[in-house]
Amino acid sequence: MSMIVEGFGAALAPSSLLSIVLGVLFGYLVGVIPGLSRPAALSIAVPLTYTMSPVSAIAFLIGIAKASAAGGATGAILLNTPGEPSSAATCFEGYPLAKAGQATKALKVALYASVFGDICATIVLIALARPLASFALQMGPVEMTAVMIFALTFIAGLSGSALSRGLISGTLGILLATVGLDPETATPRLTFGLVELFDGVPLLAVTVGMLAFTEMLVQAEQYLMKMKRGTHVEPTPHRHDQSLSLAELKRVAPTAVQSTGVGIAAGIIPGLGPTIGAFLAYSIARRTGRPGDKWGKGEIKGVVATEAADNAVLPASFIPLFAIGLPGSVSAAILVAAFMLHGVAPGPLIFEQHPDLMYGIYAAMLLASLAMLLIGRVGLHLFARIGDVPLTTIVPFVVLFCVLGSYLETHTFFSITVMMAMGVLGYVMQRFGYSVVTFLIGFVVGPLFEISLRQSLVIAKTHGLSPLDHPIAIVFAVLTLGAVVVFARESLSNRTAKAAEGE
Amino acid sequence: MRTGPLVEFAVVGGLCALAYFVLIPAQISAQGGIGLRADVVPRVVVVAIALFAFLHMVARLTIAAPPSAPAATDETATGEAASVGAASGDALPGEAATGEAPSGEAAPPWRYVARLLAVIAVGYAAILWLGLVPGGAILVLVITLALGERRPLRLGLQALGGAAVSGLIPLLGL
């Protein structure tokens, strides 16, 4: 009980509250501006938390992550341009609502649905993470290896059109993670004589480079192409005042609950992410719609479905992160970097070693949800204007943030070089259909995977590996095989079907 | 026979071979005293990559290539969403995470990104030689110019903004 009080006290400290508010404000900014995505903003923001306390730092980053999910709806509704990929589904019903003069209603319902989904998922996280962590403590190296292989395979299968390309990306990430000193013998591996690489490739430089820097290259390239073609048009937003009635709120409530459940499931399962969660929730809401719903013409249930699911994914994706140390999404992977920066290793032992920190984070997450509601409601129209910032301003400054953020990690220009190199690699990978997301998760999970694998091999050598002793590992091995079969068949049948259509 | 899958495997497989036979032996001293040798995990990973690349090639050669989809307009929500989704996101299943450009459009010419990288390199060189604050201003300025902005006031303000942001680092003692 004293730990809970301590944790909540830390979250309610003025510095933490300020961090939460600043994080939410920055998150809305990020969500509204189409050129900047949540993972990119998080990776840039992590170095800014160096001087903060662990609770303030995580609260700041969580504020950004939560509010960016909510802010992404603004561009989707007003401009038919989602600020976040996960808000793309909000365009389907949000933009028609705006065209019909009900933009404010759509913005309000998006905000309320976002907060609802977020708070529910946070409560589920608080309820489930610790019990799951206790269960995870029963898992040894063999089980952890099996879980990580399953997670990477699942993520690889969901990451693009080809499972094999996803597996290549994930494995490449693991390969990059081997750069540095060997964990057992301290032998330099693939360091090319560079002392700066003895501690491995800088994590922040990799995430900033492959997310933010790569994204800016892609956005700028698309902008230049549109300018060349003369097809770039700055859209004019339409705004009319429309209130949201209690009857309408009651009407959309079941959709909010249903979609929140979808979002939580998408968050817990590694690799699905908020984009899939939002699209899935929209599809389900549409299929379970009632006569009289105006799907495709401005149905507010559609906005509720996508936004509730989108915002429920993030807290739920922390469940595998806190319970077993496995990031279920790129945002969670970036938070791993933030945790490690502050001397905390996420995983099942976090509840034993840092209980006050965990309760502080829980409290900060709930406070961030409330801040999201207040700031979002007050700043509704102001945030809409921020979405008009041109790409010619966004790209140069985000690149500058990438450079400065990388520099802050090690205070050497080497990190900046690594960041740019990884950014170019990320661009090339995306261009040829290799998933950057899977690569990053492979890179983040790589060291843990290698240690688990080595320990498993030692166990196998000394005690042998009997299936009866490791039932959990067997279950995950079977699940991995099943996932491979399902994804491979899906991929092959998709290609066959497309080839048949072409005949 | 389609050459795309073969070229892709040749590149990926070739890099794996280079890593396995040249880089790893040169860069990792395979001491075997205690536990696993230092080069085992990198070798296993490289072999795994080569294997996945081979399987990918076989799959692509076995099934006929799908027809190229008609190009989507830039104004559609799906096109915009796919363009945004192509850039990044927490997960990118089927959301244009493929080398084939989003919505079936042809991949852009390399010259755009090459120009951007050249300009960013100039800005980075300025940071190395002149320091963070003036270098930051120059970096923002050259990228803005590369994106086609020519209004002097806008250029000046953004360069000043770049200097101000870069100046926060020594100012805040970060």
Side-chain angles (χ1 to χ4, degrees), chain A residues 168-229:
Chain A
I168 290 171
S169 300
T171 322
L172 190 62
I174 294 176
L175 179 64
L176 191 71
T178 63
V179 173
L181 298 181
D182 178 75
E184 282 185 27
T185 63
T187 306
R189 294 191 300 192
L190 301 171
T191 59
F192 299 91
L194 295 167
V195 173
E196 293 92 340
L197 286 177
F198 276 22
D199 282 333
V201 181
L203 175 59
L204 267 176
V206 173
T207 53
V208 169
M210 297 195 94
L211 294 174
F213 191 77
T214 298
E215 182 172 342
M216 289 305 104
L217 289 179
V218 172
Q219 293 282 340
E221 181 184 59
Q222 288 173 359
Y223 176 81
L224 287 172
M225 276 178 60
K226 286 182 188 175
M227 292 297 283
K228 176 95 177 160
R229 285 185 208 149

Short mmCIF file of all heavy atoms in Angstrom, two decimals, chain A residues 168-229:
data_model
loop_
_atom_site.label_atom_id
_atom_site.label_comp_id
_atom_site.label_asym_id
_atom_site.label_seq_id
_atom_site.Cartn_x
_atom_site.Cartn_y
_atom_site.Cartn_z
N ILE A 168 13.19 -11.68 -42.76
CA ILE A 168 14.52 -11.15 -43.09
C ILE A 168 14.76 -9.86 -42.32
O ILE A 168 15.82 -9.65 -41.73
CB ILE A 168 14.65 -10.90 -44.62
CG1 ILE A 168 14.69 -12.24 -45.37
CG2 ILE A 168 15.90 -10.09 -44.93
CD1 ILE A 168 14.60 -12.10 -46.88
N SER A 169 13.74 -9.00 -42.30
CA SER A 169 13.88 -7.72 -41.59
C SER A 169 14.15 -7.95 -40.11
O SER A 169 15.06 -7.35 -39.52
CB SER A 169 12.62 -6.88 -41.74
OG SER A 169 12.36 -6.58 -43.07
N GLY A 170 13.33 -8.80 -39.50
CA GLY A 170 13.49 -9.04 -38.06
C GLY A 170 14.84 -9.65 -37.74
O GLY A 170 15.51 -9.27 -36.78
N THR A 171 15.27 -10.58 -38.57
CA THR A 171 16.56 -11.24 -38.34
C THR A 171 17.71 -10.27 -38.57
O THR A 171 18.74 -10.34 -37.87
CB THR A 171 16.71 -12.47 -39.26
OG1 THR A 171 15.46 -13.12 -39.39
CG2 THR A 171 17.69 -13.47 -38.71
N LEU A 172 17.53 -9.38 -39.53
CA LEU A 172 18.56 -8.36 -39.75
C LEU A 172 18.70 -7.46 -38.53
O LEU A 172 19.80 -7.05 -38.15
CB LEU A 172 18.19 -7.53 -40.99
CG LEU A 172 19.26 -6.58 -41.52
CD1 LEU A 172 20.49 -7.34 -41.95
CD2 LEU A 172 18.71 -5.77 -42.69
N GLY A 173 17.55 -7.15 -37.92
CA GLY A 173 17.58 -6.36 -36.68
C GLY A 173 18.35 -7.08 -35.59
O GLY A 173 19.14 -6.48 -34.85
N ILE A 174 18.14 -8.39 -35.48
CA ILE A 174 18.88 -9.18 -34.48
C ILE A 174 20.37 -9.16 -34.81
O ILE A 174 21.22 -9.06 -33.91
CB ILE A 174 18.36 -10.62 -34.44
CG1 ILE A 174 16.91 -10.65 -33.94
CG2 ILE A 174 19.23 -11.49 -33.54
CD1 ILE A 174 16.27 -12.01 -33.95
N LEU A 175 20.70 -9.24 -36.10
CA LEU A 175 22.11 -9.20 -36.49
C LEU A 175 22.76 -7.88 -36.08
O LEU A 175 23.87 -7.85 -35.54
CB LEU A 175 22.25 -9.39 -38.01
CG LEU A 175 23.67 -9.35 -38.56
CD1 LEU A 175 24.51 -10.50 -38.02
CD2 LEU A 175 23.66 -9.40 -40.10
N LEU A 176 22.05 -6.78 -36.30
CA LEU A 176 22.59 -5.48 -35.91
C LEU A 176 22.78 -5.41 -34.40
O LEU A 176 23.69 -4.75 -33.91
CB LEU A 176 21.67 -4.36 -36.39
CG LEU A 176 22.26 -2.96 -36.25
CD1 LEU A 176 23.37 -2.73 -37.26
CD2 LEU A 176 21.19 -1.89 -36.44
N ALA A 177 21.90 -6.10 -33.68
CA ALA A 177 22.01 -6.09 -32.22
C ALA A 177 23.24 -6.84 -31.72
O ALA A 177 23.64 -6.68 -30.57
CB ALA A 177 20.75 -6.68 -31.59
N THR A 178 23.85 -7.69 -32.57
CA THR A 178 25.05 -8.42 -32.13
C THR A 178 26.30 -7.55 -32.22
O THR A 178 27.36 -7.96 -31.71
CB THR A 178 25.28 -9.69 -32.98
OG1 THR A 178 25.52 -9.31 -34.34
CG2 THR A 178 24.10 -10.63 -32.91
N VAL A 179 26.19 -6.39 -32.84
CA VAL A 179 27.35 -5.49 -32.92
C VAL A 179 27.69 -5.00 -31.52
O VAL A 179 26.82 -4.59 -30.77
CB VAL A 179 27.04 -4.29 -33.84
CG1 VAL A 179 28.17 -3.26 -33.79
CG2 VAL A 179 26.79 -4.75 -35.27
N GLY A 180 28.95 -5.08 -31.18
CA GLY A 180 29.37 -4.66 -29.85
C GLY A 180 30.21 -5.75 -29.21
O GLY A 180 30.79 -6.58 -29.90
N LEU A 181 30.27 -5.75 -27.91
CA LEU A 181 31.06 -6.76 -27.20
C LEU A 181 30.21 -8.00 -26.94
O LEU A 181 29.05 -7.90 -26.54
CB LEU A 181 31.58 -6.20 -25.87
CG LEU A 181 32.52 -5.00 -25.97
CD1 LEU A 181 32.97 -4.56 -24.57
CD2 LEU A 181 33.74 -5.32 -26.82
N ASP A 182 30.80 -9.16 -27.16
CA ASP A 182 30.11 -10.40 -26.88
C ASP A 182 29.75 -10.47 -25.40
O ASP A 182 30.58 -10.18 -24.55
CB ASP A 182 31.02 -11.57 -27.25
CG ASP A 182 30.39 -12.91 -26.94
OD1 ASP A 182 29.50 -13.31 -27.69
OD2 ASP A 182 30.79 -13.53 -25.93
N PRO A 183 28.50 -10.85 -25.07
CA PRO A 183 28.09 -10.80 -23.65
C PRO A 183 28.86 -11.76 -22.75
O PRO A 183 28.93 -11.54 -21.55
CB PRO A 183 26.60 -11.15 -23.70
CG PRO A 183 26.34 -11.70 -25.05
CD PRO A 183 27.40 -11.20 -25.95
N GLU A 184 29.43 -12.83 -23.31
CA GLU A 184 30.15 -13.79 -22.45
C GLU A 184 31.65 -13.53 -22.41
O GLU A 184 32.27 -13.55 -21.35
CB GLU A 184 29.91 -15.22 -22.95
CG GLU A 184 28.55 -15.77 -22.54
CD GLU A 184 28.38 -17.22 -22.95
OE1 GLU A 184 29.40 -17.92 -23.06
OE2 GLU A 184 27.24 -17.64 -23.16
N THR A 185 32.22 -13.32 -23.59
CA THR A 185 33.68 -13.23 -23.67
C THR A 185 34.20 -11.81 -23.82
O THR A 185 35.40 -11.58 -23.79
CB THR A 185 34.20 -14.05 -24.86
OG1 THR A 185 33.66 -13.46 -26.07
CG2 THR A 185 33.75 -15.50 -24.78
N ALA A 186 33.29 -10.86 -23.99
CA ALA A 186 33.64 -9.46 -24.22
C ALA A 186 34.50 -9.27 -25.46
O ALA A 186 35.25 -8.30 -25.57
CB ALA A 186 34.35 -8.86 -23.00
N THR A 187 34.40 -10.20 -26.39
CA THR A 187 35.11 -10.07 -27.67
C THR A 187 34.38 -9.07 -28.54
O THR A 187 33.16 -9.16 -28.68
CB THR A 187 35.12 -11.44 -28.39
OG1 THR A 187 35.64 -12.42 -27.51
CG2 THR A 187 35.95 -11.38 -29.65
N PRO A 188 35.10 -8.12 -29.13
CA PRO A 188 34.40 -7.18 -30.02
C PRO A 188 33.84 -7.92 -31.24
O PRO A 188 34.51 -8.77 -31.83
CB PRO A 188 35.51 -6.21 -30.45
CG PRO A 188 36.58 -6.35 -29.43
CD PRO A 188 36.51 -7.77 -28.94
N ARG A 189 32.61 -7.60 -31.57
CA ARG A 189 31.96 -8.23 -32.72
C ARG A 189 31.50 -7.16 -33.69
O ARG A 189 30.71 -6.29 -33.32
CB ARG A 189 30.72 -9.05 -32.28
CG ARG A 189 31.04 -10.24 -31.42
CD ARG A 189 29.86 -11.15 -31.24
NE ARG A 189 28.72 -10.48 -30.60
CZ ARG A 189 27.67 -11.14 -30.12
NH1 ARG A 189 27.62 -12.45 -30.21
NH2 ARG A 189 26.67 -10.48 -29.57
N LEU A 190 31.99 -7.25 -34.91
CA LEU A 190 31.55 -6.37 -36.00
C LEU A 190 31.65 -4.89 -35.63
O LEU A 190 30.82 -4.07 -36.02
CB LEU A 190 30.09 -6.70 -36.40
CG LEU A 190 29.87 -8.14 -36.88
CD1 LEU A 190 28.39 -8.44 -37.03
CD2 LEU A 190 30.58 -8.37 -38.20
N THR A 191 32.66 -4.54 -34.84
CA THR A 191 32.83 -3.14 -34.45
C THR A 191 33.73 -2.38 -35.40
O THR A 191 33.83 -1.15 -35.30
CB THR A 191 33.42 -3.03 -33.03
OG1 THR A 191 34.67 -3.71 -33.00
CG2 THR A 191 32.48 -3.64 -32.00
N PHE A 192 34.43 -3.08 -36.29
CA PHE A 192 35.32 -2.45 -37.26
C PHE A 192 36.34 -1.54 -36.58
O PHE A 192 36.71 -0.50 -37.11
CB PHE A 192 34.51 -1.67 -38.31
CG PHE A 192 33.58 -2.55 -39.09
CD1 PHE A 192 32.28 -2.76 -38.67
CD2 PHE A 192 34.03 -3.21 -40.23
CE1 PHE A 192 31.43 -3.60 -39.37
CE2 PHE A 192 33.18 -4.05 -40.94
CZ PHE A 192 31.88 -4.25 -40.51
N GLY A 193 36.74 -1.93 -35.40
CA GLY A 193 37.77 -1.18 -34.69
C GLY A 193 37.28 0.11 -34.06
O GLY A 193 38.07 0.89 -33.53
N LEU A 194 35.97 0.35 -34.11
CA LEU A 194 35.44 1.61 -33.56
C LEU A 194 35.06 1.42 -32.09
O LEU A 194 34.18 0.63 -31.77
CB LEU A 194 34.20 2.05 -34.36
CG LEU A 194 34.45 2.42 -35.83
CD1 LEU A 194 33.14 2.52 -36.58
CD2 LEU A 194 35.21 3.74 -35.92
N VAL A 195 35.70 2.17 -31.24
CA VAL A 195 35.40 2.07 -29.81
C VAL A 195 33.95 2.49 -29.52
O VAL A 195 33.31 1.97 -28.61
CB VAL A 195 36.38 2.98 -29.02
CG1 VAL A 195 36.01 3.03 -27.55
CG2 VAL A 195 37.79 2.47 -29.18
N GLU A 196 33.46 3.41 -30.34
CA GLU A 196 32.08 3.88 -30.13
C GLU A 196 31.05 2.76 -30.27
O GLU A 196 29.93 2.89 -29.78
CB GLU A 196 31.75 4.98 -31.14
CG GLU A 196 32.53 6.28 -30.95
CD GLU A 196 33.81 6.30 -31.76
OE1 GLU A 196 34.28 5.21 -32.17
OE2 GLU A 196 34.33 7.39 -32.00
N LEU A 197 31.44 1.67 -30.94
CA LEU A 197 30.49 0.58 -31.15
C LEU A 197 30.63 -0.53 -30.11
O LEU A 197 29.92 -1.53 -30.17
CB LEU A 197 30.66 -0.02 -32.55
CG LEU A 197 30.13 0.82 -33.71
CD1 LEU A 197 30.43 0.15 -35.05
CD2 LEU A 197 28.64 1.08 -33.58
N PHE A 198 31.53 -0.38 -29.16
CA PHE A 198 31.72 -1.42 -28.16
C PHE A 198 30.46 -1.66 -27.33
O PHE A 198 30.22 -2.78 -26.88
CB PHE A 198 32.89 -1.06 -27.24
CG PHE A 198 34.23 -1.45 -27.78
CD1 PHE A 198 34.44 -1.64 -29.13
CD2 PHE A 198 35.32 -1.61 -26.92
CE1 PHE A 198 35.68 -2.00 -29.64
CE2 PHE A 198 36.57 -1.98 -27.41
CZ PHE A 198 36.76 -2.17 -28.78
N ASP A 199 29.68 -0.61 -27.13
CA ASP A 199 28.43 -0.78 -26.40
C ASP A 199 27.27 -1.09 -27.33
O ASP A 199 26.11 -1.06 -26.91
CB ASP A 199 28.09 0.51 -25.61
CG ASP A 199 28.91 0.59 -24.35
OD1 ASP A 199 29.30 -0.46 -23.82
OD2 ASP A 199 29.17 1.72 -23.89
N GLY A 200 27.59 -1.40 -28.55
CA GLY A 200 26.54 -1.69 -29.53
C GLY A 200 26.15 -0.44 -30.31
O GLY A 200 26.60 0.67 -30.00
N VAL A 201 25.33 -0.66 -31.32
CA VAL A 201 24.84 0.48 -32.10
C VAL A 201 23.89 1.28 -31.21
O VAL A 201 23.01 0.69 -30.58
CB VAL A 201 24.09 -0.01 -33.36
CG1 VAL A 201 23.60 1.16 -34.18
CG2 VAL A 201 24.99 -0.90 -34.20
N PRO A 202 24.05 2.59 -31.11
CA PRO A 202 23.20 3.38 -30.21
C PRO A 202 21.71 3.20 -30.53
O PRO A 202 21.29 3.41 -31.68
CB PRO A 202 23.63 4.83 -30.45
CG PRO A 202 24.99 4.73 -31.07
CD PRO A 202 25.04 3.45 -31.81
N LEU A 203 20.96 2.82 -29.53
CA LEU A 203 19.54 2.50 -29.73
C LEU A 203 18.75 3.70 -30.24
O LEU A 203 17.96 3.60 -31.17
CB LEU A 203 18.95 2.00 -28.41
CG LEU A 203 17.45 1.73 -28.36
CD1 LEU A 203 17.05 0.68 -29.36
CD2 LEU A 203 17.04 1.30 -26.96
N LEU A 204 18.99 4.86 -29.63
CA LEU A 204 18.24 6.05 -30.04
C LEU A 204 18.55 6.44 -31.48
O LEU A 204 17.66 6.83 -32.23
CB LEU A 204 18.59 7.23 -29.12
CG LEU A 204 17.66 7.39 -27.95
CD1 LEU A 204 18.13 8.51 -27.06
CD2 LEU A 204 16.24 7.67 -28.41
N ALA A 205 19.82 6.32 -31.85
CA ALA A 205 20.20 6.68 -33.21
C ALA A 205 19.46 5.79 -34.21
O ALA A 205 19.02 6.24 -35.26
CB ALA A 205 21.72 6.57 -33.40
N VAL A 206 19.31 4.54 -33.85
CA VAL A 206 18.62 3.59 -34.75
C VAL A 206 17.13 3.96 -34.85
O VAL A 206 16.57 4.05 -35.94
CB VAL A 206 18.78 2.14 -34.25
CG1 VAL A 206 17.93 1.19 -35.08
CG2 VAL A 206 20.24 1.73 -34.34
N THR A 207 16.50 4.17 -33.70
CA THR A 207 15.05 4.43 -33.74
C THR A 207 14.77 5.78 -34.37
O THR A 207 13.86 5.91 -35.21
CB THR A 207 14.44 4.38 -32.33
OG1 THR A 207 15.16 5.25 -31.46
CG2 THR A 207 14.47 2.98 -31.77
N VAL A 208 15.54 6.80 -34.01
CA VAL A 208 15.33 8.12 -34.61
C VAL A 208 15.58 8.06 -36.11
O VAL A 208 14.81 8.59 -36.92
CB VAL A 208 16.25 9.17 -33.95
CG1 VAL A 208 16.23 10.47 -34.73
CG2 VAL A 208 15.80 9.44 -32.52
N GLY A 209 16.67 7.38 -36.49
CA GLY A 209 17.01 7.31 -37.91
C GLY A 209 15.96 6.57 -38.73
O GLY A 209 15.51 7.04 -39.77
N MET A 210 15.57 5.40 -38.23
CA MET A 210 14.69 4.55 -39.05
C MET A 210 13.23 4.97 -38.98
O MET A 210 12.42 4.53 -39.80
CB MET A 210 14.83 3.10 -38.64
CG MET A 210 16.21 2.58 -38.88
SD MET A 210 16.28 0.81 -38.79
CE MET A 210 16.08 0.38 -40.51
N LEU A 211 12.88 5.77 -38.03
CA LEU A 211 11.50 6.23 -37.94
C LEU A 211 11.39 7.67 -38.43
O LEU A 211 10.84 7.93 -39.49
CB LEU A 211 10.98 6.09 -36.51
CG LEU A 211 10.87 4.65 -36.02
CD1 LEU A 211 10.51 4.60 -34.55
CD2 LEU A 211 9.86 3.87 -36.85
N ALA A 212 11.95 8.58 -37.67
CA ALA A 212 11.76 9.98 -38.00
C ALA A 212 12.50 10.38 -39.28
O ALA A 212 11.92 10.99 -40.18
CB ALA A 212 12.22 10.86 -36.83
N PHE A 213 13.80 10.06 -39.35
CA PHE A 213 14.59 10.51 -40.49
C PHE A 213 14.09 9.87 -41.79
O PHE A 213 13.94 10.55 -42.82
CB PHE A 213 16.07 10.17 -40.26
CG PHE A 213 17.02 10.81 -41.23
CD1 PHE A 213 17.35 12.14 -41.12
CD2 PHE A 213 17.58 10.07 -42.26
CE1 PHE A 213 18.24 12.74 -42.01
CE2 PHE A 213 18.45 10.66 -43.16
CZ PHE A 213 18.78 11.99 -43.04
N THR A 214 13.83 8.57 -41.73
CA THR A 214 13.30 7.88 -42.92
C THR A 214 11.98 8.47 -43.35
O THR A 214 11.73 8.71 -44.54
CB THR A 214 13.11 6.39 -42.63
OG1 THR A 214 14.36 5.80 -42.30
CG2 THR A 214 12.52 5.67 -43.82
N GLU A 215 11.13 8.74 -42.38
CA GLU A 215 9.82 9.30 -42.70
C GLU A 215 9.95 10.65 -43.38
O GLU A 215 9.20 10.96 -44.32
CB GLU A 215 8.98 9.44 -41.43
CG GLU A 215 7.59 9.95 -41.72
CD GLU A 215 6.71 9.92 -40.49
OE1 GLU A 215 7.06 9.20 -39.54
OE2 GLU A 215 5.69 10.61 -40.49
N MET A 216 10.88 11.46 -42.91
CA MET A 216 11.06 12.77 -43.53
C MET A 216 11.56 12.64 -44.95
O MET A 216 11.17 13.39 -45.85
CB MET A 216 12.05 13.62 -42.71
CG MET A 216 11.47 14.09 -41.38
SD MET A 216 9.91 15.00 -41.53
CE MET A 216 8.73 13.77 -41.01
N LEU A 217 12.43 11.66 -45.20
CA LEU A 217 12.89 11.43 -46.57
C LEU A 217 11.71 11.06 -47.47
O LEU A 217 11.56 11.59 -48.58
CB LEU A 217 13.92 10.30 -46.61
CG LEU A 217 15.30 10.58 -46.02
CD1 LEU A 217 16.19 9.35 -46.11
CD2 LEU A 217 15.97 11.75 -46.71
N VAL A 218 10.85 10.19 -46.95
CA VAL A 218 9.70 9.74 -47.75
C VAL A 218 8.73 10.89 -47.98
O VAL A 218 8.25 11.11 -49.10
CB VAL A 218 9.00 8.56 -47.05
CG1 VAL A 218 7.70 8.22 -47.75
CG2 VAL A 218 9.91 7.34 -47.01
N GLN A 219 8.42 11.64 -46.92
CA GLN A 219 7.47 12.75 -47.03
C GLN A 219 7.99 13.82 -47.99
O GLN A 219 7.24 14.34 -48.84
CB GLN A 219 7.24 13.39 -45.65
CG GLN A 219 6.53 12.52 -44.65
CD GLN A 219 5.04 12.44 -44.89
OE1 GLN A 219 4.45 13.29 -45.54
NE2 GLN A 219 4.42 11.40 -44.36
N ALA A 220 9.27 14.15 -47.85
CA ALA A 220 9.86 15.19 -48.71
C ALA A 220 9.88 14.73 -50.17
O ALA A 220 9.61 15.50 -51.09
CB ALA A 220 11.27 15.52 -48.24
N GLU A 221 10.17 13.45 -50.36
CA GLU A 221 10.21 12.90 -51.72
C GLU A 221 8.83 12.99 -52.37
O GLU A 221 8.69 13.42 -53.52
CB GLU A 221 10.68 11.44 -51.63
CG GLU A 221 10.80 10.72 -52.95
CD GLU A 221 11.18 9.27 -52.72
OE1 GLU A 221 10.41 8.57 -52.03
OE2 GLU A 221 12.21 8.85 -53.25
N GLN A 222 7.80 12.61 -51.62
CA GLN A 222 6.44 12.66 -52.14
C GLN A 222 6.03 14.11 -52.42
O GLN A 222 5.34 14.40 -53.41
CB GLN A 222 5.47 12.01 -51.16
CG GLN A 222 5.62 10.50 -51.11
CD GLN A 222 4.79 9.86 -50.03
OE1 GLN A 222 4.11 10.54 -49.27
NE2 GLN A 222 4.85 8.55 -49.93
N TYR A 223 6.44 15.00 -51.55
CA TYR A 223 6.13 16.42 -51.74
C TYR A 223 6.78 16.94 -53.02
O TYR A 223 6.14 17.62 -53.83
CB TYR A 223 6.62 17.21 -50.52
CG TYR A 223 6.46 18.70 -50.64
CD1 TYR A 223 5.23 19.32 -50.39
CD2 TYR A 223 7.52 19.52 -51.00
CE1 TYR A 223 5.08 20.68 -50.50
CE2 TYR A 223 7.38 20.89 -51.12
CZ TYR A 223 6.15 21.46 -50.86
OH TYR A 223 6.01 22.83 -50.98
N LEU A 224 8.05 16.60 -53.22
CA LEU A 224 8.76 17.06 -54.42
C LEU A 224 8.13 16.49 -55.68
O LEU A 224 8.02 17.18 -56.70
CB LEU A 224 10.23 16.66 -54.34
CG LEU A 224 11.09 17.44 -53.34
CD1 LEU A 224 12.47 16.83 -53.19
CD2 LEU A 224 11.20 18.90 -53.76
N MET A 225 7.68 15.25 -55.59
CA MET A 225 7.03 14.63 -56.77
C MET A 225 5.72 15.36 -57.09
O MET A 225 5.42 15.62 -58.26
CB MET A 225 6.73 13.16 -56.48
CG MET A 225 7.91 12.26 -56.74
SD MET A 225 7.56 10.56 -56.36
CE MET A 225 6.20 10.22 -57.44
N LYS A 226 4.95 15.65 -56.04
CA LYS A 226 3.68 16.34 -56.26
C LYS A 226 3.91 17.74 -56.81
O LYS A 226 3.17 18.22 -57.67
CB LYS A 226 2.89 16.42 -54.97
CG LYS A 226 2.26 15.12 -54.55
CD LYS A 226 1.46 15.29 -53.28
CE LYS A 226 1.00 13.97 -52.75
NZ LYS A 226 0.31 14.09 -51.46
N MET A 227 4.94 18.40 -56.31
CA MET A 227 5.25 19.74 -56.80
C MET A 227 5.64 19.69 -58.26
O MET A 227 5.26 20.52 -59.07
CB MET A 227 6.40 20.35 -55.98
CG MET A 227 6.06 20.66 -54.55
SD MET A 227 4.78 21.91 -54.38
CE MET A 227 5.71 23.38 -54.74
N LYS A 228 6.40 18.68 -58.61
CA LYS A 228 6.86 18.52 -59.99
C LYS A 228 5.67 18.30 -60.92
O LYS A 228 5.60 18.85 -62.01
CB LYS A 228 7.81 17.31 -60.05
CG LYS A 228 8.30 16.94 -61.42
CD LYS A 228 9.65 17.57 -61.69
CE LYS A 228 10.16 17.13 -63.05
NZ LYS A 228 11.17 18.00 -63.57
N ARG A 229 4.70 17.49 -60.41
CA ARG A 229 3.53 17.19 -61.24
C ARG A 229 2.52 18.31 -61.22
O ARG A 229 1.59 18.34 -61.99
CB ARG A 229 2.84 15.92 -60.72
CG ARG A 229 3.55 14.64 -61.05
CD ARG A 229 2.69 13.48 -60.58
NE ARG A 229 3.52 12.34 -60.24
CZ ARG A 229 3.22 11.45 -59.31
NH1 ARG A 229 2.11 11.57 -58.61
NH2 ARG A 229 4.00 10.43 -59.07
#
